[in-house]
Amino acid sequence: MSPKIIAFDADDTLWHNEPYFDEAQERFCVLFQDYASSQEILGLILNHQVKNLPLYGFGIKAFTLSMIETALQLTNHQISGKGIEQILAIGKDLLQKPVELLPNVESVLEQLKGKYKLVVATKGDLKDQHRKLHDSGIGPYFHHIEVLSDKAELDYEKMLGRLDCKPEDFLMIGNSLKSDVLPVLNIGGHAIHIPYHTTWEYEKIDFEIKHENFKSFASIEEILTIV
Ligand SMILES: [Mg+2]
């Protein structure tokens, strides 16, 4: 396999992310445990997040606003200013979490650098993703950083247009079959799935992918066996 550009998803591909969201949601569930079960509350948050995606997109700020809407719904609009402040604190804490790289990420980047153009292609808040890239220390390995508002086919096509790269010369690596794999295969690119131990409900798909341009690896260093 000889791609010209190798792009990496960031959250739960380069560094840990979803456990921080799980922890934030647990804090929210504790705050509102007198109103509903954790399971019900998690369902309500997800509903608000998905409904708000066209307006807010992805990321922690959108998540925070969806928690506030969930709190309004749970309390029948009786939530106090103090309660809103506690929700904002959950969001602000998320924006200041330490960045912890997944195992072997840096050594893999070290070995790929110079042979390929390396790109980060991520969703989320622009400022937050730039902060995490900075704090991670792996920014210098990358030729280009792209924070996409979504990861649908058109978003990838626009990015490849800007990078002057044909889909067949593009390899995307990520933990989400829905966002990092399917749209890339659909436009003629190559994709590698590296599952993370926990996945956001929204990113789950309920079918198996079989495609000649698709591979699934258990960990990031397996990339080195094919490029
Ligand atoms: Mg991810």
Side-chain angles (χ1 to χ4, degrees):
M1 194 174 183
S2 53
K4 289 191 178 131
I5 289 181
I6 301 180
F8 292 84
D9 167 57
D11 293 337
D12 301 322
T13 298
L14 298 176
W15 50 65
H16 296 281
N17 178 66
E18 193 59 26
Y20 292 142
F21 273 89
D22 290 345
E23 180 192 307
Q25 296 197 113
E26 277 168 32
R27 277 176 69 186
F28 183 90
C29 288
V30 170
L31 283 180
F32 295 95
Q33 61 188 351
D34 293 341
Y35 294 88
S37 70
S38 293
Q39 199 181 359
E40 286 167 322
I41 293 173
L42 295 180
L44 292 176
I45 296 174
L46 180 65
N47 288 346
H48 283 292
Q49 283 179 293
V50 173
K51 176 197 74 189
N52 287 331
L53 278 177
L55 286 173
Y56 299 155
F58 298 87
I60 293 169
K61 283 182 280 185
F63 171 62
T64 305
L65 290 171
S66 292
M67 282 194 292
I68 290 174
E69 280 193 50
T70 305
L72 286 166
Q73 184 184 0
L74 284 167
T75 64
N76 198 21
H77 294 80
Q78 299 303 304
I79 185 171
S80 64
K82 179 82 184 159
I84 297 285
E85 191 175 66
Q86 288 172 311
I87 297 168
L88 291 172
I90 295 174
K92 285 182 181 175
D93 285 350
L94 264 181
L95 287 163
Q96 298 171 82
K97 287 289 179 191
V99 182
E100 195 190 336
L101 289 177
L102 270 77
N104 301 316
V105 162
E106 187 149 18
S107 66
V108 167
L109 294 173
E110 181 70 49
Q111 290 178 72
L112 295 175
K113 196 185 179 224
K115 294 186 201 159
Y116 304 95
K117 275 188 178 173
L118 303 181
V119 167
V120 174
T122 177
K123 294 184 290 195
D125 292 312
L126 184 66
K127 187 165 173 56
D128 181 44
Q129 294 297 13
H130 283 168
R131 168 191 76 90
K132 287 190 283 190
L133 196 68
H134 175 268
D135 291 355
S136 72
I138 57 173
Y141 290 105
F142 295 101
H143 169 83
H144 180 81
I145 311 299
E146 185 104 4
V147 182
L148 300 130
S149 57
D150 200 358
K151 279 179 168 175
E153 282 82 353
L154 189 59
D155 303 289
Y156 281 106
E157 282 172 341
K158 285 181 185 171
M159 182 180 80
L160 291 184
R162 283 191 286 276
L163 293 168
D164 198 22
C165 178
K166 291 186 202 139
E168 59 264 36
D169 296 326
F170 178 68
L171 169 61
M172 179 73 197
I173 295 162
N175 71 300
S176 169
L177 291 168
K178 187 177 186 173
S179 296
D180 302 319
V181 171
L182 280 176
V184 174
L185 296 176
N186 287 343
I187 64 166
H190 299 259
I192 294 174
H193 182 226
I194 303 176
Y196 188 72
H197 64 82
T198 175
T199 306
W200 181 28
E201 278 303 315
Y202 175 79
E203 298 286 352
K204 289 181 181 170
I205 60 167
D206 56 3
F207 54 91
E208 206 183 328
I209 297 176
K210 285 206 164 80
H211 193 290
E212 59 180 358
N213 289 359
F214 171 67
K215 286 185 170 51
S216 186
F217 289 156
S219 57
I220 200 165
E221 64 269 28
E222 286 183 53
I223 298 165
L224 300 173
T225 64
I226 59 142
V227 293

